[in-house]
Amino acid sequence: MAHFSHNVHEDIKKVLLTEEQIRKRVAELGAQISEDYAGKELVVIFVLKGASIFFADLIRSIVVPIRIDSIAAASYGNTTKSSGTVRIEKDIETPIEGKHVLLVEDIIDTGLTLSYLKAYFERQKPASLRVITLLDKPVARKVQLIPDYNGFTVGNEFVVGYGLDYAQRFRNLPYIAIPKDYVWNDEEKE
Ligand code: PRP
């Protein structure tokens, strides 16, 4: 039996980052990127699905000319633990050789997804390749990876919202939060 409420906000135990905090930080990151890439063009690639909300907000605070693309890489099943395997399920369509590339993630956990994707894109010989993440969880790292831009550093708790899911739920929350305990026991995981 599903324990989820009809309103996703009711399944939340604690808000970690409010809409206002996120909005302010995303604007700062966009301004920093605009300054760093002044006079250049940028290919901004987001990793489906989690980074979609952050990406949509971030690119609207970047003022240099950009192209956009996306890639889907599966690293997790429906549990909170990484399976350690990465596979590309949808590739980019944009040629990136000689281009400045910014890879957008919602969270870096073990670092396995991004280290795989970084190596994958480096082989395509971009002029430069940088990584931005909204959230960094350095305590969970299994491979060394330091983002070039980071919104917020978080602890080891499992967080949802603003694109991040648990069992595909909670992506539509406008803030970052921790769900109530009963959510972890729900049997309707996909
Ligand atoms: C999440 C997140 C990152 C990855 C981070 O994606 O969006 O891509 O896991 O974990 P890692 O550092 O341990 O590799 P997920 O596979 O859950 O897909 P989603 O974005 O579609 O939710």
Side-chain angles (χ1 to χ4, degrees), residues 47-51 73-77 82 86 105-114 117 140-141 163-165 168 171:
V47 185
L48 287 159
K49 305 171 189 162
S75 62
Y76 280 26
S82 172
V86 178
E105 260 293 18
D106 52 344
I107 188 163
I108 306 176
D109 201 323
T110 63
L112 289 166
T113 307
L114 263 187
L117 289 179
R141 211 65 108 244
L164 289 96
D165 74 306
Q168 300 303 325
R171 295 193 198 273

Side-chain angles (χ1 to χ4, degrees), residues 55-68:
F55 168 83
D57 283 344
L58 178 70
I59 60 170
R60 283 177 288 176
S61 61
I62 294 175
V63 301
V64 298
I66 66 162
R67 288 166 190 261
I68 66 170

Side-chain angles (χ1 to χ4, degrees), residues 89-153:
E89 296 188 326
K90 178 221 162 284
D91 208 343
I92 55 168
E93 295 164 2
T94 315
I96 59 165
E97 185 175 346
K99 308 285 187 196
H100 296 286
V101 174
L102 182 65
L103 194 50
V104 183
E105 260 293 18
D106 52 344
I107 188 163
I108 306 176
D109 201 323
T110 63
L112 289 166
T113 307
L114 263 187
S115 59
Y116 180 88
L117 289 179
K118 274 186 82 174
Y120 179 71
F121 288 128
E122 287 290 5
R123 287 198 292 276
Q124 298 174 40
K125 307 205 181 323
S128 69
L129 175 62
R130 284 185 183 169
V131 166
I132 180 167
T133 187
L134 177 69
L135 304 176
D136 190 12
K137 194 189 273 190
V139 292
R141 211 65 108 244
K142 287 186 180 162
V143 289
Q144 204 201 347
L145 196 139
I146 298 166
D148 299 285
Y149 304 95
N150 172 31
F152 302 93
T153 300

